[in-house]
Amino acid sequence: MINWTLVREMLPVFWDGLQMTLILLIASAITGLLLAVPLAVARAARSRWLSWPAFGYTYVIRGTPLLVQLFIIYYGLPQFGLIRNSALWPLLRDPWFCAWLAFTLNTTAYTAEIFAGAIRTTPPGEIEAARAMGLTRAQVFRDVFWPGAWRRALPQYGNEIVQLMHATALASTVTIVEILRVGRDVYTNYLVIPESFGLAALFYLGLTVLLTTMFRLLERHFLRHLDPRASATPAQAEPRKAPLHA
Amino acid sequence: MFHGYLPMILDGLRITLSVALVSLAVASVFGLMGATAKLSASPVLRAVAGTYTTVIRALPDLLLMLIVFYGGQILLNRFTTAQGWGYVDVNAFAAGTITLGFVFGAYLTETFRGAILAIPRGQAEAGHAIGLTRGQVLRDIVLPQMIRHAIPGFTNNWLVLLKATALVSIIGLDDMVHRASLASAATREPFTFYALIGVIYLGVTTVSILALGALNRRVSRGVRAEAAR
């Protein structure tokens, strides 16, 4: 049934595709996180001058397909002579840069909404208590407010990263050779499913398991106070399962 | 501004909306079956439904779509040639809606399961106690309340599904995205047309949010505002 010779032959190509998927994922996740934090603070701010523009951004991004966003950046922007003659042109004609830009802009919007939700649900008493103890505003932000919001956002943020990993498959539409593109090329050349899309599915499945496990460990670390079994005495400690989600 | 391509794009919107609505119907059927299976007493059904939701949610939509489109084509033709019927082309509309329905059925399974579990058992028990039949309990007590609990999740899934329909252009369906790429190629103004369909998607999203929000308020009437959230 399955042509193992072909699988062995194609594995190194899939391996290269996996690296491209991972590079895209890590690069967009890092820039997305860096941009999402200030955007989330603006989104949750009391001032309308801050919160409305932030909401406008996340609304537009979340209301349109990522594929269309990617096409606007990669195929659309070169329509303007101004861009073709600008210093940014060498970057914007590069499919990798365009995919990274599209994924970053996209995940920033979703992540900002997640963090904004976590910020809004901060118990006021936590901040008041910290202020009453004499912590400065910066200390409150760094040591009380942010750690709490991060913990509340973590489970959803993990889902968003898995979604982002799946979204990198769209990079195959702008000539980037990541896992799905390798699968499609193998299919086009050999017209077989298990050795092309089947193998690609295994790689994505593996990545999903890897990411969910990673976030489960992070949750176990950061949300330990919510795990009823974590407070058990060491003598009766047993292997812990995933902590309860907030 | 659109060089006369606007009617063509709007006709593409009709196709996009048909794909989305048919997929939603298919997804609701898969979702109800999945939720029933997950809540059933049979361990086999629970395992099948569990595998379904886990595997689907672990893979990119586009990959699943390609597997169903090309894989379905191969399987179907193996079958039809064995029957002596000759070669059959898989319709891109059918492949797209079945795949999207199958994928989003997995997400709706979770939504419906949660919605059914959110109804206190005492509600159905009370219905039986005052002498309602099983059918009456289902129709008058469980379903109306399940809808209320399912609407927020249902709204989310619909919005994601609507955007996912853009992927059917990749398997060759002549939807709005495909029309935009045709118009871009003809006019050499890709930004104009991709931005146009972006605005159209945003409009459909906005209308959906408003309509489903109104529906949510309607089915939540009589519930305290705090509990309705």
Side-chain angles (χ1 to χ4, degrees), chain A residues 43-139:
Chain A
R43 175 83 177 85
R46 253 181 237 110
S47 155
R48 285 179 178 177
W49 294 103
L50 283 174
S51 70
W52 284 16
F55 174 68
Y57 175 76
T58 64
Y59 190 78
V60 168
I61 294 286
R62 291 180 310 138
T64 49
L66 173 59
L67 185 69
V68 174
Q69 293 160 12
L70 180 61
F71 282 4
I72 288 179
I73 292 173
Y74 182 65
Y75 295 116
L77 289 183
Q79 177 179 328
F80 305 106
L82 199 68
I83 284 170
R84 285 200 307 275
N85 296 324
S86 74
L88 285 175
W89 181 232
L91 285 176
L92 282 169
R93 64 193 290 186
D94 178 30
W96 195 92
F97 177 84
C98 291
W100 168 77
L101 183 63
F103 297 156
T104 296
L105 294 178
N106 192 267
T107 190
T108 297
Y110 288 93
T111 309
E113 283 299 323
I114 293 170
F115 285 151
I119 289 172
R120 269 186 233 108
T121 49
T122 299
E126 274 184 18
I127 308 298
E128 286 158 15
R131 297 287 291 158
M133 282 175 67
L135 298 189
T136 65
R137 285 183 80 89
Q139 281 176 320

Side-chain angles (χ1 to χ4, degrees), chain A residues 29 31 67 142 155 181 200 228:
Chain A
T31 41
L67 185 69
R142 199 191 60 213
R181 184 77 250 172

